[in-house]
């Protein structure tokens, strides 16, 4: 099992290319099931989660060719011969549930394993199921699987309001609605850039969609969809993560492909903390204004609010801020597991329920720490780069799910970081 060794200290200076968004790619890939024509994604990230989705789609009968080192995914679902998404794959990656809507829309039936919980929370999928039921699906939960059938063989457009803003449930319903008979109106829909990217790709395939990026999305079902070629949107979470690197370590880093509109609320918080962000022709150039950032309070919210997927990384910055910060996690019930690991590095953090109070210290100290989930793992690496001494982050398989070539990208800017077998 690999670990990452980080020798702290020193500024970061250079450029970091930002990849295509994992969370966009994971919802774009199942769209291939909606058409018998080829769907090609460019700017795809090279991540283990993408390989897992490739494995899942392949198990259904789709062909997914990974070209140009994984940056191009040429997919074709001409012959879907299996409509069961197996537990062994689904439990590895929760986003597997996103094949349910497209399979139902394409062939009127599907059997998909329930994903089960994960480290950061129970992660129920009740709203995915409620939305599909509203569109005429009969669902039966049996042996840990959802057995789904579209009444009359085809989904029917419906009006559905999500009780909680859900990225995945919005995506599943959006995918399904494109081929439903009639009009679907999704209310209290998620507004994330990944939803906008999915809608743009589906529109290229011939779908009739309006309102993506707002809380109400309207879809006019069509009888069939064609193929398309679509570039995966820039990964706003990778972008935010690497913007924090110079904020924590000092120096100046240009994030290639970075766009302010993808990280608006996050940039406002960085500005408040004393980090300057300059838009360049190639992306976003970031450096901190003074030696130490200011403490700020953060509350995670659905887009366009501060993203929950950047909460752990922001906490790493605030561990050495001047003053006391309060982070409120409103999306997931257990997303402070990085706190005890940061405390091992000398951070002063008190966690009470959904709030973490961080009292900044001058310097963190290197230690052996353990990654618990994807975003926690990278927050530990950010902290380690600014800490005194050596840090070993274990269980970095979490990291490889969402960040390609971390040690290369940060190493190219002067970080002392290497992968070691432990
Ligand atoms: C997506 O997860 C992302 N994953 C997550 O990123 C991200 O943290 C999350 O959206 C929030 O932005 C992918 O896109 C693959 P939700 P998702 O449905 O869709 C509750 C990462 O690190 N809920 O928006 O699963 C749920 O429990 C990952 O890249 C229900 O109650 O998140 C949570 O409290 C982690 N019932 C809230 O809604 C449902 O049916 C938001 O979850 C669905 C969700």
């Amino acid at each position: 099992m690999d670990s990452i060794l980080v020798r702290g200290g020193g500024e970061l200076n250079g450029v970091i290319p930002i990849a295509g968004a994992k969370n966009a790619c994971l919802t774009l890939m199942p769209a291939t099931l909606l058409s018998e024509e080829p769907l090609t994604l460019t700017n795809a990230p090279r991540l283990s989660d993408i390989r897992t989705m490739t494995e899942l789609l392949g198990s259904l009968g789709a062909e997914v060719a990974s070209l140009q080192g994984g940056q191009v995914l040429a997919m074709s679902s001409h012959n879907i011969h299996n409509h069961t998404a197996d537990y062994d794959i689904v439990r590895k990656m929760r986003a597997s549930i996103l094949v349910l809507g497209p399979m139902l829309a394409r062939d009127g039936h599907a059997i998909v394993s329930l994903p089960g919980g994960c480290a950061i929370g129970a992660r129920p999928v009740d709203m995915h199921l409620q939305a599909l039921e509203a569109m005429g699906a009969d669902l039966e939960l049996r042996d840990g699987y959802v057995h789904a059938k579209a009444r009359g063989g085809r989904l029917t457009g419906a009006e559905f309001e999500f009780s909680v803003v859900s990225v995945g449930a919005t995506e599943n319903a959006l995918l399904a609605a494109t081929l439903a008979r009639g009009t679907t109106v999704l209310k209290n829909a998620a507004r994330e850039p990944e939803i906008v990217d999915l809608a743009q790709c589906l529109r290229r395939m011939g779908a009739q969609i309006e309102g993506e990026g707002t809380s109400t999305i309207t879809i006019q079902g069509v009888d069939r969809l064609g193929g398309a070629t679509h570039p995966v949107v820039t990964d706003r979470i990778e972008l935010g993560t690497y913007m924090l690197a110079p904020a924590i370590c000092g120096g100046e880093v240009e994030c290639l492909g970075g766009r302010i509109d993808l990280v608006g609320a996050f940039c406002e918080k960085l500005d408040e903390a004393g980090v300057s962000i300059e838009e360049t022709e190639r992306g976003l150039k970031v450096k901190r204004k003074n030696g130490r950032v200011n403490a700020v309070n953060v509350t995670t919210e659905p887009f366009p609010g501060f993203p929950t997927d950047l909460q752990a990384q922001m906490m790493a910055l605030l561990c050495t801020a001047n003053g006391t910060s309060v982070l409120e996690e409103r999306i997931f019930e257990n997303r402070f597991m990085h706190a005890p690991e940061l405390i091992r590095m000398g951070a002063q953090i008190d966690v009470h329920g959904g709030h973490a109070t961080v009292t900044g210290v001058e310097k963190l100290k290197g230690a052996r720490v353990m990654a618990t989930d994807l975003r926690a793992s990278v927050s530990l690496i950010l902290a380690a780069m600014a800490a005194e001494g050596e840090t070993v982050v274990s269980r970095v398989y979490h990291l490889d799910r969402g960040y390609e070539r971390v040690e290369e990208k940060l190493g190219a800017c002067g970080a002392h970081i290497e992968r070691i077998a432990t």
Side-chain angles (χ1 to χ4, degrees):
M1 197 181 290
D2 285 353
S3 295
I4 294 261
L5 167 66
V6 181
R7 290 185 186 82
E11 292 187 347
L12 295 185
N13 288 287
V15 295
I16 295 182
I18 304 300
K22 165 181 83 83
N23 290 349
C25 202
L26 290 176
T27 191
L28 288 164
M29 291 175 75
T32 182
L33 298 170
L34 294 171
S35 167
E36 299 200 359
E37 309 294 324
L39 173 60
T40 299
L41 299 177
T42 60
N43 194 38
R46 290 163 285 197
L47 302 167
S48 59
D49 269 9
I50 304 306
R51 291 190 286 277
T52 303
M53 183 60 83
T54 298
E55 182 191 346
L56 171 59
L57 291 172
S59 75
L60 305 177
E63 291 160 23
V64 182
S66 177
L67 311 173
Q68 293 178 35
Q71 278 209 296
V72 173
L73 299 173
M75 300 180 288
S76 168
S77 294
H78 192 68
N79 169 29
I80 297 301
H81 52 68
N82 171 30
H83 291 79
T84 298
D86 196 77
Y87 174 64
D88 283 340
I89 297 181
V90 175
R91 70 187 170 87
K92 268 198 288 187
M93 188 191 59
R94 316 179 36 73
S96 307
I97 190 82
L98 293 174
V99 301
L100 175 58
M103 277 204 285
L104 258 182
R106 174 201 177 102
D107 290 331
H109 61 97
I111 302 174
V112 177
S113 168
L114 283 170
C118 89
I120 64 177
R123 310 287 295 274
V125 291
D126 52 322
M127 287 190 292
H128 295 242
L129 306 184
Q130 288 159 12
L132 294 171
E133 279 178 321
M135 296 166 70
D138 286 329
L139 306 178
E140 187 194 346
L141 299 191
R142 207 166 63 228
D143 312 324
Y145 284 78
V146 177
H147 294 251
K149 275 195 173 39
R151 274 197 297 279
R154 184 179 179 186
L155 294 174
T156 308
E159 188 164 306
F160 181 79
E161 180 156 1
F162 295 97
S163 53
V164 169
V165 173
S166 162
V167 172
T170 301
E171 290 165 346
N172 233 334
L174 173 54
L175 286 157
T178 56
L179 292 177
R181 181 184 296 110
T183 304
T184 297
V185 180
L186 301 176
K187 295 188 170 180
N188 199 26
R191 301 172 52 191
E192 273 68 5
E194 293 75 35
I195 306 268
V196 173
D197 201 39
L198 173 62
Q200 289 171 345
C201 176
L202 292 169
R203 196 175 287 120
R204 281 200 167 103
M205 296 168 71
Q208 294 179 22
I209 302 167
E210 289 175 4
E212 71 275 8
T214 74
S215 301
T216 301
I217 305 177
T218 303
I219 306 103
Q220 192 69 38
V222 295
D223 291 337
R224 66 179 296 282
L225 290 175
T229 295
H230 179 80
V232 177
V233 68
T234 301
D235 193 322
R236 61 195 171 96
I237 305 304
E238 188 192 30
L239 170 61
T241 301
Y242 288 127
M243 289 172 73
L244 282 164
I248 290 179
C249 298
E252 184 176 72
V253 169
E254 184 175 16
C255 296
L256 304 184
R259 288 169 28 196
I260 285 269
D261 66 301
L262 294 174
V263 281
F266 173 71
C267 289
E268 284 169 20
K269 277 299 164 187
L270 282 192
D271 179 55
E272 191 185 330
V275 176
S276 82
I277 300 161
E278 177 198 342
E279 288 186 90
T280 68
E281 281 170 19
R282 302 194 299 179
L284 300 177
K285 202 175 268 188
V286 184
K287 66 179 178 185
R288 66 185 180 202
K289 294 171 187 162
N290 308 308
R292 228 176 144 192
V293 298
N294 313 317
V296 295
N297 295 331
V298 171
T299 299
T300 65
E301 293 172 308
F303 195 88
F306 189 100
T308 174
D309 291 351
L310 284 172
Q311 177 260 107
Q313 300 91 311
M314 190 71 180
M315 187 184 285
L317 173 70
L318 298 174
C319 285
T320 55
N322 191 2
T324 298
S325 310
V326 177
L327 293 99
E328 182 184 7
E329 173 56 59
R330 283 191 176 170
I331 306 295
F332 292 112
E333 60 269 30
N334 186 34
R335 203 169 198 177
F336 287 136
M337 286 174 297
H338 40 286
E341 302 303 312
L342 290 167
I343 289 167
R344 283 180 52 75
M345 299 175 71
Q348 289 182 16
I349 307 168
D350 284 316
V351 174
H352 293 288
H355 290 80
T357 302
V358 181
T359 305
V361 297
E362 285 278 345
K363 270 280 181 191
L364 294 178
K365 298 203 174 9
R368 292 185 66 84
V369 292
M370 185 178 77
T372 50
D373 61 85
L374 166 57
R375 307 303 174 182
S377 54
V378 81
S379 85
L380 297 174
I381 287 178
L382 290 171
M385 288 191 299
E388 279 170 356
E390 284 191 354
T391 297
V392 176
V393 182
S394 62
R395 300 193 180 184
V396 288
Y397 57 84
H398 290 293
L399 195 67
D400 297 333
R401 295 190 52 185
Y403 291 89
E404 61 176 54
R405 303 175 297 124
V406 177
E407 58 269 34
E408 282 173 43
K409 292 189 175 185
L410 289 170
C413 292
H416 306 290
I417 179 171
E418 60 183 297
R419 190 175 289 257
I420 57 176
T422 47

